[in-house]
Amino acid sequence: MSLNRRQLIAASAAIATVGLPAQAQSFPNKPLKIIVPYPPGGSSDIIARAISQPLSESLGQPVVVENRPGANGNLGADLVAKSAPDGHTMLLCDVGALAISPSVYTKLAFDPGKDLRGVTMLAYSPHMLAVHPSVKASNLKELVALSKTSDLNFAVTAVGSAPHVAGVAVARATGAKWTYVPYKGGSQAVTDTVAGQTQVIMNGMLATLPHVQSGRLKVLGISKKTRMPLVGSVPTLAEQGVTDFESGTWQGALVANGTPPALIARLNAELIKAIRSPDVRARLTGQGAEVVTMTPTEQDSFFARERKRWGAVVAEADIKLD
């Protein structure tokens, strides 16, 4: 007897639940939502849409991606934090940026460290320091020198975002001087830099590399301690004098606190399977993202470390928002 594709998927799902608590075996019992708290086109959105179909096939329920931008991702994160803790609503975002929010915002409607629980990290994409092709600089040293004699606008994907705080850290380390121009998301910040309305940007490689490859942006450095094979000729910022500097977008999934551990474990397994599938992994790797997965406990620990690390930078730069 031969099995069709739908039957094979159902059989695989049944095998995957063997040994799981009954609560996890009956999950999910309705469509799932992946909330992306940024506009379409950014790193989180790219990853959410890449995994939604394999995740839907594996779980046997529709998986809907919803963009809920606003307040540097905090509106969408708050929505998930206050959602029913039943595993059917997930947040997919830059976990590092989420860890920065408590230091930047004096008033948050939720506490990311208490109201959300990690499920797994999914991918890491280092920041690219890029400029409009008209900018007469070919490396970080030349850009810093130019910034002291010319007016340069630095496109900020959102005030208090990971790229913003990373840009501040680079400026403080090198003495660069530029004017920060805030946007509501990375896609619009990139679009305006490509158009020459802003001259400098730091943004995740996953969403920025296509514009570099097309010649619409010029990359000056990678915010990773070691070079990326995909752009091996591009030096790291650490190589260019910002000692041991590393930053990037750490894309991960979270759910509301109170979600049963069995459901978090099931989601962890299914998300890891989806992000590691050959098609998804190849697509992300080809755009400069590394598949990186964690246990829920490891992700929560990562969040705590990032909160402490970037909190110090925010405090030194006195970045505050109501």
Side-chain angles (χ1 to χ4, degrees):
M1 181 181 71
S2 63
L3 296 177
N4 62 31
R5 187 167 182 269
R6 185 180 296 276
Q7 289 171 322
L8 283 170
I9 292 170
S12 298
I15 292 171
T17 61
V18 173
L20 290 174
Q23 186 180 34
Q25 291 187 35
S26 62
F27 171 86
N29 52 32
K30 61 182 180 180
L32 291 89
K33 290 182 181 179
I34 298 178
I35 302 298
V36 175
Y38 315 114
S43 298
S44 299
D45 186 66
I46 291 170
I47 292 173
R49 296 185 189 281
I51 66 171
S52 61
Q53 185 58 37
L55 192 61
S56 174
E57 292 179 353
S58 181
L59 290 172
Q61 288 284 351
V63 176
V64 180
V65 178
E66 290 188 9
N67 296 90
R68 294 294 187 94
N72 191 23
N74 290 319
L75 293 183
D78 182 48
L79 185 154
V80 176
K82 293 184 169 76
S83 68
D86 59 8
H88 288 87
T89 302
M90 289 180 283
L91 176 69
L92 200 161
C93 69
D94 182 343
V95 178
L98 187 66
I100 294 171
S101 290
S103 300
V104 173
Y105 288 84
T106 56
K107 299 176 183 177
L108 272 181
F110 69 106
D111 185 332
K114 294 180 180 179
D115 299 333
L116 292 166
R117 288 275 71 84
V119 178
T120 182
M121 203 68 76
L122 296 168
Y124 164 72
S125 173
H127 290 138
M128 285 187 130
L129 175 63
V131 296
H132 186 267
S134 64
V135 174
K136 298 185 184 305
S138 57
N139 54 50
L140 179 59
K141 182 178 179 180
E142 291 177 1
L143 180 65
V144 171
L146 182 65
S147 75
K148 296 175 181 179
T149 60
S150 303
D151 293 331
L152 295 179
N153 289 325
F154 187 110
V156 171
T157 57
V159 175
S161 64
H164 177 202
V165 178
V168 169
V170 170
R172 293 177 71 84
T174 62
K177 299 182 182 299
W178 39 54
T179 301
Y180 296 100
V181 179
Y183 289 87
K184 294 182 178 180
S187 57
Q188 188 57 51
V190 170
T191 297
D192 274 14
T193 308
V194 166
Q197 295 181 36
T198 48
Q199 293 76 47
V200 186
I201 188 170
M202 281 193 80
N203 195 42
M205 186 172 175
L206 181 61
T208 311
L209 182 60
H211 302 283
V212 171
Q213 292 173 326
S214 68
R216 291 177 291 181
L217 287 176
K218 179 170 58 175
V219 61
L220 304 186
I222 302 290
S223 64
K224 196 171 183 291
K225 290 182 181 178
T226 57
R227 294 195 184 195
M228 291 287 291
L230 196 60
V231 284
S233 63
V234 180
T236 67
L237 296 178
E239 287 179 82
Q240 298 184 72
V242 190
T243 306
D244 294 328
F245 184 76
E246 187 168 21
S247 66
T249 62
W250 292 88
Q251 303 297 330
L254 305 96
V255 291
N257 190 20
T259 301
L263 299 190
I264 293 178
R266 176 79 191 280
L267 285 172
N268 173 274
E270 296 291 353
L271 285 165
I272 290 175
K273 182 167 65 175
I275 199 74
R276 288 181 179 174
S277 65
D279 288 349
V280 174
R281 183 191 287 270
R283 178 183 172 187
L284 297 180
T285 301
Q287 291 181 260
E290 300 174 9
V291 171
V292 178
T293 59
M294 297 181 182
T295 67
T297 299
E298 287 171 340
Q299 186 174 336
D300 287 338
S301 297
F302 170 89
F303 185 91
R305 291 195 303 272
E306 287 293 281
R307 187 170 179 168
K308 181 178 180 180
R309 174 195 179 194
W310 292 112
V313 176
V314 169
E316 288 178 12
D318 195 26
I319 303 171
K320 287 294 180 183
L321 292 172
D322 292 329

